[in-house]
């Protein structure tokens, strides 16, 4: 999988070198290119934003640097890439979307700042990319970089060979195989810690009862915290 990131803060993506994603890059399962949007400006101030037409607070990202940065990505793209535009106005990102994206060969992330990117960039991009405007959740970040990092982590860990133990994909929260329920609480040794004991059933060695207890915990937790997932 090829990932291209366009940003005015390339340093954010140093975090991709860490942990399992870093290993996926070292192992060449993922190739990452980070482009500084300011490299596609031509004025001395390297400006990427301007005041909004129609007035209002804040600044809007100018279309020209975005057009040139996206042209540069396309010039090296063998096929039509996916363009993810992180935005609080996007479709909510979830495990199903992560799964879909994990089957793509080339994803470009356009990380906007300020009040967003001139909308014509998105319109233009739709002719050349499969554009996905995606939101991390109902809150406002200062820009798309942190959202892109979160989405990349969710996608890359689904690629074959990235996780040491692929079984952990099946059981975790939001995984399809757990029927979309939240994960049950987990424990490790010691059996007693600061006066708190691990639930007896988990020490019983009785697989059926353990499975039953876990299913019940998942259901109760989901009912309490995420009733929307129960349908
Ligand atoms: N940019 C700013 N806020 C965001 C959010 N909630 N999700 C994705 N991108 C964003």
């Amino acid at each position: 999988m090829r990932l291209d990131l366009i940003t005015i803060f390339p340093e954010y993506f140093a975090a991709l070198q860490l942990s399992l994603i870093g290993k996926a890059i070292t192992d060449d399962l993922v190739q990452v290119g980070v482009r500084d949007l300011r490299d596609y400006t031509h004025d001395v101030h390297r400006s990427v934003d301007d005041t909004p037409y129609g007035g209002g607070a804040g600044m809007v990202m100018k279309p020209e640097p975005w057009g040139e940065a996206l042209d540069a990505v396309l010039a090296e793209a063998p096929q039509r890439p996916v363009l993810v535009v992180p935005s609080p106005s996007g479709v909510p990102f979830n495990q199903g979307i992560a799964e879909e994206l994990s089957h793509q060969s080339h994803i470009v992330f356009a990380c906007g700042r300020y009040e967003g990117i001139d909308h014509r960039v998105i319109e233009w991009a739709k002719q050349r990319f499969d554009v996905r405007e995606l939101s991390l959740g109902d809150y406002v970040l200062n820009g798309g970089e942190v959202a892109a990092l979160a989405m990349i982590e969710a996608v890359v860990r689904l690629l074959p060979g990235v996780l040491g133990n692929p079984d952990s994909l099946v059981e975790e929260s939001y995984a399809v195989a757990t029927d979309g329920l939240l994960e049950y609480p987990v424990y490790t040794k010691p059996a007693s810690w600061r006066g708190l004991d691990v639930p007896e059933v988990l020490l019983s060695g009785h697989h059926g009862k353990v499975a039953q207890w876990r299913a019940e915990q998942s259901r109760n937790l989901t009912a309490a915290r995420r009733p929307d997932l129960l349908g």
Side-chain angles (χ1 to χ4, degrees):
M1 172 180 282
R2 163 104 202 150
L3 300 175
D4 280 294
L5 304 151
I6 308 171
T7 172
I8 58 167
F9 293 117
E11 297 87 352
Y12 263 104
F13 297 101
L16 293 175
Q17 303 304 322
L18 303 173
S19 188
L20 291 173
I21 311 295
K23 174 132 194 318
I25 294 170
T26 312
D27 293 348
D28 208 30
L29 298 171
V30 184
Q31 298 82 43
V32 179
V34 183
R35 290 170 195 265
D36 186 339
L37 184 69
R38 291 193 199 278
D39 291 345
Y40 301 92
T41 59
H42 303 287
D43 61 313
V44 303
H45 302 294
R46 312 224 300 156
S47 44
V48 291
D49 62 333
D50 207 334
T51 53
Y53 275 122
M59 300 291 269
V60 174
M61 294 194 104
K62 295 155 62 65
E64 302 96 320
W66 278 107
E68 289 193 27
L70 292 169
D71 284 343
V73 168
L74 283 172
E76 292 173 13
Q79 296 149 34
R80 185 181 170 94
V82 171
L83 179 67
V84 172
V85 185
S87 159
S89 326
V91 170
F93 181 74
N94 60 24
Q95 191 66 26
I97 296 177
E99 175 80 37
E100 274 175 48
L101 293 178
S102 74
H103 299 295
Q104 299 294 331
S105 57
H106 187 187
I107 310 175
V108 184
F109 287 84
C111 301
R113 287 259 141 187
Y114 316 110
E115 298 304 310
I117 304 171
D118 185 304
H119 193 64
R120 290 168 294 181
V121 174
I122 317 295
E123 289 306 311
W124 171 86
K126 283 179 183 167
Q127 298 159 23
R128 288 154 182 96
F129 297 83
D130 291 338
V131 176
R132 313 280 303 254
E133 287 184 77
L134 299 175
S135 169
L136 211 55
D138 292 340
Y139 43 83
V140 180
L141 303 168
N142 286 334
E145 286 79 5
V146 167
L149 280 170
M151 293 179 204
I152 289 168
E153 182 155 318
V155 169
V156 169
R157 64 194 295 284
L158 298 177
L159 299 179
V162 172
L163 286 197
N165 177 6
D167 285 349
S168 42
L169 284 180
V170 210
E171 281 193 22
E172 65 198 358
S173 299
Y174 306 110
V176 181
T178 30
D179 295 328
L181 299 182
L182 302 188
E183 202 183 25
Y184 47 80
V186 295
Y187 303 86
T188 185
K189 291 173 270 303
S192 187
W193 176 76
R194 297 193 178 183
L196 300 169
D197 293 339
V198 171
E200 195 67 44
V201 61
L202 299 180
L203 310 175
S204 69
H206 192 300
H207 296 304
K209 283 191 180 154
V210 168
Q212 198 184 347
W213 181 86
R214 286 178 168 169
E216 196 177 287
Q217 294 291 316
S218 279
R219 262 198 318 277
N220 294 344
L221 208 56
T222 309
R225 293 183 184 168
R226 295 292 308 276
D228 56 300
L229 294 178
L230 291 174

